[in-house]
Amino acid sequence: MLAGESAGTEDLKPVARFFHRAGFNVLVTTLAWRDQERPAYSPTFWQTCLDESENRFDMLHVYSDRMTVLGCGLSAALMVHLAQDKKVQSLIALFPSLHADVSFRERFKLALRRWIPRGHKEPPAWNVQRRMATDVARTKAKSLNVPTLLVVEDLHDKSELGRSAAIAEKLFSRRADDVKRVPTAQSSPRLLPQLMLEKLVAFARRA
C-alpha cells in the first residue's frame, strides 16, 4: 500500500489493519515525493518515485507470487504504471489523481524548454511533473489488463479531484472493473466505512 503525495503511512493504517485482520500480509509505505523542508530528498523527476515503487514491489515479489497493489492519490496513478509493467494480481486505486492542473505560466515555461540546449535545461516544476505522470497513467490505463477497483470522490465539478473522478469512470466503467463513488465526508482512507473496506477485501480475494 502506497500513501498519497501529501499523506503518510498513518493515513492508510485503518485500511491496512482491516486487510491484515482479513488474513492478508500487508506492507504500508510512502515515497520520497517533493519535500519542501528537506529539498535534498526531493525527486528530480516523477519517474524517480515510480522507480522507487517498482524496487519495493520487486523485493516483495521474492516472497509472494500473488500481490495486490493499493495506491492513494498520485500513488494510485503510479500503480497504474506499475501494474502495466509488473506481474500484479489486482490493483486498488483510492481517489486516484488522473488529472493535474498546470498554470499558464508553467505551460509557457515548458514550451520554452524546446529552445534551450539540453545541457542547460533544469527539471520541470513539480506541478508539471505531476501533469506528465497523470497523462502517461491515463494512456496506460486504456490498455491495462489487470483487475482494477477504483474508489473516487462523488464530485461533478471542474476541480482536479472532480476531473480525476470523471476520467476514472470513463476509463474503467466500460470494462469488468468496478468504480465506487463515496461522498466527500468519506473521501479519505481514514474515513472509509466498513462496508467499503469489506468490498475492497472481497475484490482482492476474488482477483
Side-chain angles (χ1 to χ4, degrees):
M1 296 184 179
L2 280 178
E5 180 184 4
S6 58
T9 55
E10 291 291 323
D11 291 83
L12 281 174
K13 186 176 288 186
V15 181
R17 283 177 172 170
F18 197 90
F19 269 83
H20 189 261
R21 287 196 297 265
F24 287 82
N25 293 319
V26 181
L27 171 68
V28 184
T29 184
T30 186
L31 301 175
W33 298 122
R34 174 175 57 102
D35 196 328
Q36 297 285 10
E37 296 178 358
R38 299 186 301 166
Y41 288 80
S42 301
T44 304
F45 299 101
W46 67 267
Q47 291 93 334
T48 305
C49 297
L50 177 60
D51 291 342
E52 189 179 355
S53 65
E54 290 182 341
N55 289 339
R56 295 181 190 186
F57 178 88
D58 289 339
M59 288 188 293
L60 291 175
H61 198 261
V62 174
Y63 303 100
S64 175
D65 58 353
R66 288 177 57 87
M67 291 183 60
T68 293
V69 295
L70 182 150
C72 187
L74 190 58
S75 290
L78 294 186
M79 291 301 92
V80 172
H81 291 269
L82 187 144
Q84 184 76 290
D85 301 328
K86 300 291 183 177
K87 188 180 179 181
V88 173
Q89 195 71 24
S90 59
L91 165 64
I92 299 175
L94 302 181
F95 317 108
S97 296
L98 296 174
H99 173 82
D101 292 322
V102 177
S103 68
F104 174 79
R105 180 183 178 184
E106 288 167 333
R107 291 197 301 270
F108 181 69
K109 289 171 64 177
L110 192 62
L112 289 179
R113 282 171 55 84
R114 301 174 184 175
W115 304 98
I116 300 176
R118 179 173 297 181
H120 298 276
K121 288 183 180 180
E122 295 183 357
W126 183 246
N127 284 345
V128 179
Q129 297 283 345
R130 294 179 75 248
R131 179 62 176 266
M132 290 189 289
T134 56
D135 285 351
V136 179
R138 290 199 306 273
T139 301
K140 291 204 170 189
K142 294 176 182 178
S143 58
L144 187 64
N145 193 27
V146 173
T148 306
L149 172 64
L150 288 91
V151 179
V152 299
E153 187 175 353
D154 192 14
L155 285 177
H156 300 275
D157 56 22
K158 293 185 178 181
S159 66
E160 187 171 306
L161 288 174
R163 291 184 177 182
S164 290
I167 291 169
E169 285 197 323
K170 183 178 180 181
L171 286 175
F172 292 94
S173 61
R174 297 178 182 177
R175 297 161 43 190
D177 306 288
D178 215 349
V179 179
K180 305 291 186 184
R181 280 188 174 267
V182 297
T184 301
Q186 300 174 353
S187 60
S188 165
R190 289 176 176 266
L191 304 174
L192 289 176
Q194 180 169 335
L195 181 60
M196 180 59 69
L197 294 175
E198 290 174 353
K199 290 180 179 179
L200 300 184
V201 168
F203 172 81
R205 282 178 172 159
R206 186 172 65 248

